[in-house]
Amino acid sequence: MEVVNGTIEGSIHEGNLSQIVKNGNLNVEESGITKKSHELNGSQVDGSGNFSNFSGKGTVLGEKGEVWGNTHVGNFFENVKNGSFVVQESGIPKNTPQLNGTHIDGDITFSNFSGASDSGSVNSNVGTPTYVEDVGSNGERKKVAVTEGKGGVSVEQFGGIGSNDGKSLTGRGKDFYGDCDIFDGEWVRDDTKPHYPPGSCPIIDRDFDCHLNKRPDDGYIKWRWQPYACDIPSLNATDFLERLRGQKLVFVGDSLNRNMWESLVCILRHSIREKKRVYEISGRHEFKKKGFYAFRFEDYNCSVDFVSSPFLVRQSAFKGKNGPFETLRLDLMEKTTSMYSDADIIIFNTGHWWTHEKTSRGEDYYQEGNHVHARLKVLEAYKRALSTWARWVDKNLDGSRTQIIFRGYSATHFRGGPWNSGGQCHKETEPIFKKAYLKKYPSKMKVLHHVLHNMTTPVIYMNISRLTDYRKDGHPSIYRKEYKTVEEQMAGVHAQDCSHWCLPGVPDTWNELLYASLLKSRKGLWKN
């Protein structure tokens, strides 16, 4: 767990689900989110994620007559609630269809649905379920229960994460380059992981190197993300570097983005035979301090950089009657912008520092111009800061030349209290298996949707919130350093890191999804 200015990146603050589709945004374009409102069979999607005008009853069939499971039916409403239908990778076709007996993307027929509930089930008075087998393109089988009652049809899928049959099979085979939502899926066991052996990458900060810090289990590195509707390519490090030849890729944000940056450097470095030809340009080996860091890949004349900017906007000070005090300028970008304004690919993030006591309380802290707000709610402050970021992007970056990506909020897993009050994730060795145990979609990411909607520059949104929420097993917990005595290790139990991620580990998957997102964009050197 990283301590910066006396604070530790802590747990997420999530409010209740409020408004899912701002101004009726369901359709998806290359710009990330469309501005055009759509209707579904004459009815808007309301603030709770329900469809208000579905009628009748019937069955849900795939293209070849197979019954679709809750991946695409039972979870349809749930996916709207978690925000996955207002982003670039949502999987909703660009020509928004009606949902009353018509086909969606040529794959599925919705036959007169009736009603919707928070759980995603569409029937209120169900009958006896019928069990069928769903056979996917890889020959794997999965039981599906189809129940028909007065309210319509409920479809429930059995198996999935942690089960022997591995991948969910409904809808598989959809074109990866088409409308497949690569962020909607599940974790499956994969013994071919990770991309680089534990202990093989010396650039990993000690806080993230769980292998070096003697974590006794290694199951957390044996999982692969599998989208429900398609397969994604495994990250080909040589291909990634070839496409990055002569270019500059920069991560901008907090230590969770540093987590992802170190992961990508390790993945790419592992493919290089002469490791000495990969180096940090200033010779540094520790990257926890704020600043600018750049790894150069000499053979490809490219660099993979990190710029520390935990809020994206500027941390400042205000001269008050009783002396100066710290503020956060919601109306000004950090002074670090010159370090990445010329980049070819930029991955932004901000989120965890907005959960700290000072930002959450919002008293005499948020500044705009010469005015310091006596009190401002954190979500409103976050929205204003992101709006400042969005205006800077629209004014200073050329979307036709620069690939702009925003990585979503990475879930934390503190049990028994927050990071500074006994919160723990120690001895977690498996992911969460039941979706009911997952947190609600982060309210800050709903704010991000609103801001992206009003931008003119295309931004790829990497919606990794839910996929990381499964992974309670992937945090460093007490393995942030090597303990010399049992007493030291026992003391470490009271200061666990359940925010960041072990490397190798979950951030490697983020970079797989980054690779897939860039391929899907088909821009510049990523066209072919």
Side-chain angles (χ1 to χ4, degrees):
M1 185 175 300
E2 181 177 16
V3 180
V4 181
N5 296 329
T7 61
I8 305 178
E9 295 210 351
S11 60
I12 180 172
H13 288 261
E14 296 178 345
N16 293 329
L17 192 81
S18 55
Q19 183 174 345
I20 307 307
V21 185
K22 187 77 173 178
N23 298 325
N25 302 310
L26 266 182
N27 200 10
V28 179
E29 294 179 346
E30 290 184 356
S31 61
I33 298 178
T34 67
K35 301 179 181 177
K36 185 177 180 181
S37 176
H38 291 279
E39 293 185 343
L40 298 177
N41 191 22
S43 299
Q44 291 293 103
V45 180
D46 68 66
S48 64
N50 294 328
F51 295 83
S52 57
N53 196 29
F54 279 9
S55 60
K57 62 182 181 179
T59 57
V60 183
L61 302 177
E63 186 177 29
K64 298 180 181 179
E66 72 274 17
V67 179
W68 281 52
N70 67 357
T71 308
H72 293 279
V73 181
N75 274 0
F76 188 86
F77 303 104
E78 182 180 2
N79 285 338
V80 172
K81 287 195 297 181
N82 72 22
S84 64
F85 285 136
V86 294
V87 297
Q88 180 176 7
E89 307 297 342
S90 71
I92 289 288
K94 294 180 175 60
N95 296 319
T96 305
Q98 292 181 334
L99 297 180
N100 188 12
T102 58
H103 286 275
I104 293 183
D105 198 29
D107 289 333
I108 180 170
T109 300
F110 286 78
S111 300
N112 301 320
F113 269 19
S114 173
S117 70
D118 285 343
S119 65
S121 178
V122 295
N123 60 320
S124 58
N125 187 6
V126 299
T128 304
T130 301
Y131 296 92
V132 298
E133 280 196 328
D134 178 17
V135 182
S137 59
N138 58 0
E140 295 177 318
R141 296 175 179 270
K142 184 180 296 292
K143 276 189 177 181
V144 176
V146 183
T147 307
E148 186 168 351
K150 293 181 181 179
V153 179
S154 172
V155 184
E156 184 178 359
Q157 178 180 289
F158 296 84
I161 185 168
S163 61
N164 292 330
D165 58 356
K167 309 167 190 174
S168 282
L169 306 175
T170 53
R172 292 291 301 283
K174 184 181 290 185
D175 180 17
F176 159 71
Y177 287 100
D179 293 316
C180 175
D181 181 357
I182 62 176
F183 301 101
D184 182 27
E186 63 187 351
W187 292 93
V188 297
R189 291 286 298 183
D190 188 342
D191 289 332
T192 68
K193 298 297 181 182
H195 286 281
Y196 49 99
S200 67
C201 189
I203 70 103
I204 298 174
D205 271 338
R206 189 64 185 251
D207 287 0
F208 304 153
D209 199 331
C210 300
H211 173 79
L212 184 63
N213 294 328
K214 303 294 192 294
R215 177 168 172 167
D217 63 301
D218 66 353
Y220 64 93
I221 65 175
K222 301 293 185 180
W223 293 92
R224 171 174 54 82
W225 181 249
Q226 175 62 58
Y228 288 130
C230 64
D231 291 317
I232 57 174
S234 180
L235 198 165
N236 184 321
T238 301
D239 179 64
F240 197 118
L241 284 166
E242 199 61 61
R243 295 175 190 272
L244 203 60
R245 185 180 290 277
Q247 295 192 348
K248 177 179 178 180
L249 182 152
V250 186
F251 290 88
V252 182
D254 59 27
S255 55
L256 274 298
N257 242 18
R258 194 180 88 235
N259 222 174
M260 185 178 178
W261 168 67
E262 291 185 13
S263 162
L264 183 60
V265 172
C266 288
I267 291 171
L268 301 181
R269 177 183 178 276
H270 188 62
S271 69
I272 303 294
R273 180 173 297 179
E274 294 186 40
K275 300 295 191 285
K276 291 183 179 180
R277 297 182 65 78
V278 180
Y279 54 88
E280 205 284 316
I281 58 174
S282 61
R284 288 171 289 186
H285 298 280
E286 295 185 1
F287 315 107
K288 292 180 65 172
K289 293 183 179 179
K290 291 191 67 175
F292 169 75
Y293 305 94
F295 268 91
R296 178 167 176 78
F297 290 78
E298 196 69 42
D299 295 338
Y300 294 88
N301 187 31
C302 67
S303 70
V304 179
D305 306 349
F306 172 68
V307 176
S308 177
S309 183
F311 293 107
L312 299 182
V313 292
R314 187 174 303 177
Q315 297 177 74
S316 186
F318 188 82
K319 293 182 179 179
K321 294 180 181 179
N322 299 320
F325 56 91
E326 289 184 350
T327 61
L328 187 65
R329 289 293 302 264
L330 302 177
D331 56 341
L332 293 177
M333 288 288 284
E334 266 276 26
K335 296 178 181 180
T336 55
T337 54
S338 61
M339 300 176 182
Y340 55 83
S341 57
D342 62 339
D344 300 278
I345 301 170
I346 312 175
I347 302 98
F348 292 97
N349 95 298
T350 184
H352 283 268
W353 281 50
W354 296 85
T355 66
H356 295 168
E357 184 178 358
K358 186 179 294 187
T359 49
S360 297
R361 191 173 63 245
E363 296 177 355
D364 297 320
Y365 181 58
Y366 296 119
Q367 179 182 353
E368 292 177 292
N370 292 321
H371 175 67
V372 177
H373 295 274
R375 186 171 183 83
L376 187 65
K377 291 183 178 180
V378 64
L379 279 181
E380 178 60 27
Y382 187 74
K383 178 181 176 181
R384 296 185 189 190
L386 281 184
S387 297
T388 297
W389 165 80
R391 286 191 297 270
W392 181 87
V393 169
D394 282 342
K395 180 179 179 181
N396 294 278
L397 298 180
D398 180 359
S400 64
R401 189 194 76 84
T402 305
Q403 293 269 39
I404 303 153
I405 298 156
F406 200 105
R407 181 184 58 74
Y409 194 93
S410 164
T412 61
H413 295 91
F414 290 93
R415 289 184 296 104
W419 59 268
N420 57 354
S421 301
Q424 299 189 28
C425 55
H426 184 38
K427 296 184 178 179
E428 295 287 359
T429 58
E430 289 185 329
I432 293 172
F433 292 147
K434 295 183 179 180
K435 290 183 179 179
Y437 295 160
L438 300 179
K439 298 173 185 175
K440 293 179 179 179
Y441 188 66
S443 53
K444 285 190 284 295
M445 293 302 95
K446 285 178 271 180
V447 170
L448 174 66
H449 293 167
H450 173 78
V451 172
L452 293 180
H453 170 65
N454 291 297
M455 293 180 67
T456 58
T457 308
V459 175
I460 297 173
Y461 170 39
M462 289 185 61
N463 186 7
I464 54 89
S465 296
R466 167 159 282 208
L467 70 90
T468 57
D469 201 359
Y470 283 110
R471 296 304 309 277
K472 62 183 173 64
D473 60 317
H475 298 290
S477 65
I478 69 169
Y479 300 106
R480 298 178 297 110
K481 63 179 183 178
E482 185 177 4
Y483 301 98
K484 299 185 184 303
T485 65
V486 175
E487 288 75 19
E488 284 186 2
Q489 186 169 358
M490 291 177 65
V493 172
H494 302 291
Q496 297 188 24
D497 185 349
C498 307
S499 298
H500 300 96
W501 304 92
C502 296
L503 292 180
V506 170
D508 302 331
T509 295
W510 299 351
N511 283 310
E512 284 191 329
L513 292 166
L514 170 65
Y515 179 66
S517 297
L518 290 168
L519 288 172
K520 281 173 68 69
S521 73
R522 299 194 181 194
K523 294 176 69 174
L525 295 175
W526 298 87
K527 284 182 180 179
N528 298 320

